[in-house]
Amino acid sequence: MRNVYHLALKEFLHLWRDRRTLVFLLLMPSIMTVLFGYAIGNPKVTALPTRVLDRDGGRIGSEYVEAIGGSLTFRPEVVEDATEDDVARAEEDLRTNRLAAFVVLPEGLTRDADEGRPAKVRVVVDASDTFAAPAILRELASTTVQQNSFLAANLRVRDGKARTTEDGLHQVAPVELAHELRFNPDLKTQNFVMPGVIGLILQLLTVIVMSTSIARERERGTMDQLAVTPLTPAEIFVGKLLPYFLISLVVTVNVMVLAWWLFGVSLSGHLPVVAALVVSFILGSLGVGQVISIVSRNQSQAVQLAVFFILPAFVLSGAFTPIETQPEAVRPIAYLFPLTYFCRGFRAALLRQATMADLRVDLAAMALFVLVAFGASVLLLRSRRD
Amino acid sequence: MVGTVLSGAADGGADDAAVDTSGLSRRFGSLDAVSGLDLRVERGQIFGFLGPNGAGKTTTIKMLCGLLEPTGGSARVAGCDIRRDRAAIKRATGYMAQAFSLYPDLTSEENFRFFGGVYGIQGREADRRLEEVFSQLDIEGIRRTEAGALSGGWKQRLALACALVHSPRLLFLDEPTAGVDPSQRQRMWDFLYELCEGGTSLFVTTHYLDEAERCHSVGFMLGGRLIAQGPPATLRERLRHRLVGAEVQRVVEATRALRGLTGVSDVTIHGHELRVLFEAPVDWEAAAGRLHEVAEGAGAPLRRVYPLEPTLEDLFIGYARGHATAA
């Protein structure tokens, strides 16, 4: 046992010398606990951007507005005296992901309902998010039920056709909720999850594989041998990146085909859009891997740093569950990770046939990431020489 | 032939030197790793760069190869300024690092072809160069062996082959024979001479002083400074008439006693022989009396005293000892 003690002591000495690993070991679990606890501790979709197009202007309309406004699920905006143009605009905003849903309160809703004629409230939901869509429908359904219970009770009792409110409730439902599910009408969960899973796989592959590459050269002492050759830092960067870029592309095609073949995931996006998303995401992630590799002294440090980057990306990016399930305070952190933009853009491209223009924000964010990671890598390679 | 024949006539004057530094310095924080180095290495020669560990040898080589930015002074390598013409220096020079620095999972041939490709040597030119260098260094038998599976001497030869892929005019070798058995060291030096005859200039650091004796010219580094440079024979001359041998049974007592003698700079033990270095040239016969007397007094009588031919090792130890006491 005494031998074991000395071995253990030596391990502690290694850790003590490698301060970065020590700090990492002691701090990371706490940071992750706090972050993930807030982010996924209570997965409930909240603050979904929802627009109410009020063409009625009557009592029922305002009650809907009130009910939606009072629910945590929605972040509502109300358009009073909405026109057909407003409805068309809402459709477009739904397609471009600015809205999760919109509700159309038709003209004459209050009057029809009061007079016992059937009235329809239209709910149009982006069903590509299979977590948010059911939550929206649930909330609106309960609102509608509430409305109906009042109306039914009042009408039936007034007309003497029902003795009690309960009686009346069974007899008629004057306000009908007519839902229209867009982009993923079967509410197929794989359609939401698989683009995220593909993002996760690419994230893991690219960052881990790239992060060890330059660290390995340094560990083996071959970095100096490379540095005396005419290769410039930019050439070393590109030469290191290229093989992993090509492999990542092959992997992307593989997993997309599998997702389509096994899970019937829709792959009907515009090819240039899908390609732009995949290429910019892979390049950005490989760039991050290179930065990690250059600042690491050896491969094990590189892998630790890579995990430190990948784990929060996995949890916060909305790959498995939409960002809307996280508290609003945590969400901004997600936008530090390219995976967030990729998942959002990839879903939009595959399920909503988004165009380049629709995804300009996500593409620009990822392009910026590529630029920063590439620039930092080359500068670091240049300065690390001395 | 390995190496490129010099085109000497093209550049003249100071550029005739393979390496020419002036006040070259490098600081790391508060440490002067190399300070005020004025070094000149002629073309077509083997230059031995000597000094104890931490003397600044590797730092100097790294600056000359463009791996490390100097913090002061200037240097020309193969006729090019190390600050301005880094790219040209990289093409004109080869570097063989102290630690084995090839890819262990690639075969010898793959390693060689990789470095060739990086210097723009490919296709038929690469094939030709491979045949040439591999036969010259006699490593054809390990062409398809993974570099990581090679033993010390073979690794060094392969590393030398890779450093030669672009036919550098000047080759830097940092401890090329460290950890290699004597017969492989011998082979390595044969190759180095062959290279030198082919017109390549060589800049070699070594810990083996018998190897230093084989260099055309050597430089001694100590504490980041160059304290001597010149042909080994010239440097050894400095110790002529300063070195006296003494044979004795009880070497430890005798050494202790002789070191205390005024005028004696150092005493080193070689079996039953003591090598006594005086601070200034002496007549050995005149000195013998004092040596006998002191040793006798310490209870370690000398059997005989005789003049010694100085070696570089004597010089090296003398310098290193002087530095240690001065520090």
Side-chain angles (χ1 to χ4, degrees):
Chain A
M1 271 319 272
R2 183 158 290 188
N3 300 344
V4 173
Y5 162 77
H6 287 294
L7 181 62
L9 185 69
K10 177 193 75 90
E11 291 303 317
F12 273 117
L13 284 175
H14 286 316
L15 274 177
W16 185 245
R17 296 286 181 273
D18 185 2
R19 294 296 161 83
R20 203 191 285 190
T21 300
L22 188 67
V23 169
F24 180 82
L25 274 179
L26 294 179
L27 271 187
M28 197 185 79
S30 312
I31 295 173
M32 297 282 174
T33 305
V34 173
L35 199 56
F36 297 171
Y38 279 118
I40 51 179
N42 184 20
K44 196 162 174 274
V45 278
T46 56
L48 294 165
T50 306
R51 187 175 299 161
V52 180
L53 301 160
D54 189 359
R55 309 191 64 186
D56 174 45
R59 177 177 49 81
I60 296 185
S62 57
E63 271 170 29
Y64 258 102
V65 170
E66 208 172 297
I68 290 173
S71 160
L72 287 176
T73 309
F74 304 107
R75 195 178 66 219
E77 43 178 300
V78 181
V79 181
E80 311 268 6
D81 303 323
T83 62
E84 280 299 328
D85 283 348
D86 290 321
V87 177
R89 200 167 305 127
E91 284 281 4
E92 178 63 11
D93 287 345
L94 193 72
R95 198 181 66 75
T96 57
N97 211 21
R98 276 193 284 269
L99 285 180
F102 64 89
V103 180
V104 184
L105 304 172
E107 229 174 306
L109 171 67
T110 307
R111 192 186 60 234
D112 288 348
D114 281 347
E115 292 170 7
R117 284 191 296 274
K120 270 188 186 173
V121 170
R122 257 181 94 205
V123 186
V124 184
V125 181
D126 172 8
S128 66
D129 185 336
T130 52
F131 288 80
I136 292 168
L137 293 176
R138 213 164 35 235
E139 279 286 326
L140 287 175
S142 77
T143 304
T144 309
V145 167
Q146 243 175 17
Q147 297 299 327
N148 283 341
S149 57
F150 281 113
L151 289 168
N154 294 341
L155 281 171
R156 298 281 122 174
V157 172
R158 191 184 66 195
D159 297 352
K161 288 178 184 164
R163 278 166 298 133
T164 63
T165 310
E166 245 176 30
D167 249 4
L169 251 175
H170 288 294
Q171 289 175 23
V172 73
V175 177
E176 186 192 338
L177 193 65
H179 27 83
E180 296 166 38
L181 296 174
R182 293 286 148 85
F183 316 123
N184 182 20
D186 306 330
L187 271 178
K188 196 174 155 128
T189 307
Q190 273 111 342
N191 274 337
F192 176 81
V193 171
M194 285 315 286
V197 168
I198 292 171
L200 288 183
I201 290 167
L202 289 178
Q203 179 78 94
L204 189 70
L205 173 94
T206 50
V207 174
I208 292 275
V209 132
M210 200 74 244
S211 69
T212 57
S213 84
I214 284 180
R216 183 167 53 227
E217 298 263 1
R218 190 168 288 130
E219 206 173 303
R220 282 181 182 167
T222 45
M223 202 61 204
D224 274 354
Q225 204 66 56
L226 278 188
V228 293
T229 69
L231 287 171
T232 62
E235 284 170 338
I236 292 177
F237 174 80
V238 174
K240 285 257 147 197
L241 188 126
L242 203 58
Y244 299 113
F245 175 68
L246 296 176
I247 290 170
S248 303
L249 284 185
V250 171
V251 170
T252 310
V253 172
N254 280 352
V255 291
M256 283 179 72
V257 167
L258 277 178
W260 164 77
W261 185 42
L262 292 178
F263 307 110
V265 170
S266 150
L267 293 182
S268 54
H270 300 298
L271 187 61
V273 180
V274 172
L277 284 164
V278 167
V279 167
S280 57
F281 176 62
I282 291 176
L283 287 180
S285 301
L286 289 173
V288 171
Q290 288 250 28
V291 171
I292 288 173
S293 199
I294 296 165
V295 300
S296 301
R297 246 169 308 176
N298 51 48
Q299 293 189 69
S300 79
Q301 252 184 14
V303 171
Q304 286 166 11
L305 272 179
V307 169
F308 197 58
F309 175 82
I310 290 171
L311 256 177
F314 273 25
V315 174
L316 301 176
S317 64
F320 288 124
T321 54
I323 291 185
E324 285 76 15
T325 57
Q326 297 162 16
E328 279 184 275
V330 178
R331 289 181 204 177
I333 303 172
Y335 294 103
L336 298 175
F337 298 101
L339 183 58
T340 303
Y341 302 97
F342 177 75
C343 287
R344 194 167 72 179
F346 203 43
R347 281 184 189 121
L350 294 183
L351 298 173
R352 284 187 251 120
Q353 284 74 50
T355 61
M356 292 281 191
D358 296 338
L359 297 181
R360 59 185 180 276
V361 173
D362 302 272
L363 287 169
M366 286 195 284
L368 183 70
F369 218 89
V370 171
L371 280 180
V372 170
F374 279 31
S377 293
V378 173
L379 288 179
L380 281 169
L381 269 177
R382 194 168 289 157
S383 68
R384 287 275 153 155
R385 183 178 294 187
D386 294 347
Chain B
M1 285 307 287
V2 177
T4 310
V5 176
L6 293 180
S7 54
D11 21 35
D15 289 356
D16 264 348
V19 173
D20 195 4
T21 76
S22 144
L24 191 67
S25 306
R26 172 72 207 201
R27 284 180 79 87
F28 293 106
S30 62
L31 175 79
D32 282 307
V34 174
S35 48
L37 185 70
D38 295 317
L39 182 69
R40 193 180 158 87
V41 177
E42 299 303 327
R43 283 191 178 181
Q45 288 200 344
I46 300 183
F47 176 76
F49 202 37
L50 315 176
N53 293 328
K57 301 189 302 284
T58 299
T59 304
T60 303
I61 285 202
K62 285 193 166 179
M63 283 193 282
L64 296 178
C65 288
L67 286 176
L68 201 60
E69 194 86 45
T71 45
S74 65
R76 295 182 76 78
V77 172
C80 311
D81 187 279
I82 58 164
R83 290 178 204 268
R84 286 204 318 267
D85 312 323
R86 267 193 183 187
I89 289 177
K90 285 177 170 184
R91 296 201 170 272
T93 63
Y95 170 62
M96 185 175 147
Q98 189 169 355
F100 178 70
S101 55
L102 300 176
Y103 298 98
D105 48 346
L106 300 190
T107 65
S108 303
E109 181 173 345
E110 286 165 342
N111 267 296
F112 186 84
R113 284 184 187 276
F114 164 68
F115 283 106
V118 161
Y119 284 98
I121 297 158
Q122 46 199 339
R124 209 164 296 161
E125 194 190 354
D127 298 339
R128 190 182 53 76
R129 194 69 191 138
L130 183 90
E131 297 302 330
E132 206 171 74
V133 177
F134 273 44
S135 78
Q136 178 93 23
L137 297 184
D138 200 14
I139 52 173
E140 280 146 326
I142 56 158
R143 261 173 92 141
R144 286 178 225 301
T145 312
E146 286 182 10
L150 298 173
S151 63
W154 292 102
K155 271 185 181 165
Q156 293 300 77
R157 271 198 248 173
L158 176 60
L160 179 60
C162 291
L164 287 172
V165 64
H166 58 300
S167 316
R169 301 205 300 273
L170 168 63
L171 188 59
F172 291 98
L173 301 114
D174 201 355
E175 302 281 347
T177 53
V180 170
D181 66 58
S183 73
Q184 288 275 16
R185 273 172 63 194
Q186 191 64 46
R187 290 296 299 269
M188 187 58 121
W189 274 90
D190 290 346
F191 297 134
L192 298 187
Y193 276 109
E194 225 170 303
L195 276 173
C196 184
E197 264 178 21
T200 309
S201 315
L202 292 105
F203 191 109
V204 186
T205 71
T206 179
H207 271 114
Y208 298 108
L209 291 155
D210 56 320
E211 290 185 348
E213 301 270 4
R214 300 158 158 231
C215 298
H216 297 114
S217 174
V218 297
F220 273 101
M221 284 292 279
L222 204 57
R225 294 180 181 281
L226 185 73
I227 54 168
Q229 70 172 315
T234 312
L235 292 180
R236 278 200 311 268
E237 269 315 295
R238 296 185 180 184
L239 295 188
R240 188 157 303 284
H241 308 305
R242 285 177 57 195
L243 205 63
V244 173
E247 205 181 283
V248 63
Q249 182 63 37
R250 306 183 61 188
V251 286
V252 176
E253 284 84 351
T255 303
R256 205 171 289 146
L258 296 184
R259 274 189 185 151
L261 202 62
T262 40
V264 169
S265 155
D266 197 16
V267 179
T268 50
I269 305 171
H270 290 242
H272 284 291
E273 178 186 84
L274 300 184
R275 296 174 79 88
V276 183
L277 180 68
F278 285 85
E279 280 158 4
V282 292
D283 175 10
W284 73 270
E285 283 171 309
R290 278 166 65 214
L291 295 182
H292 275 299
E293 195 181 308
V294 171
E296 194 89 50
L302 304 179
R303 285 190 201 134
R304 62 190 187 91
V305 173
Y306 43 88
L308 276 178
E309 273 299 302
T311 66
L312 273 185
E313 187 158 356
D314 296 315
L315 191 70
F316 183 89
I317 290 171
Y319 281 139
R321 183 88 65 177
H323 177 74
T325 48

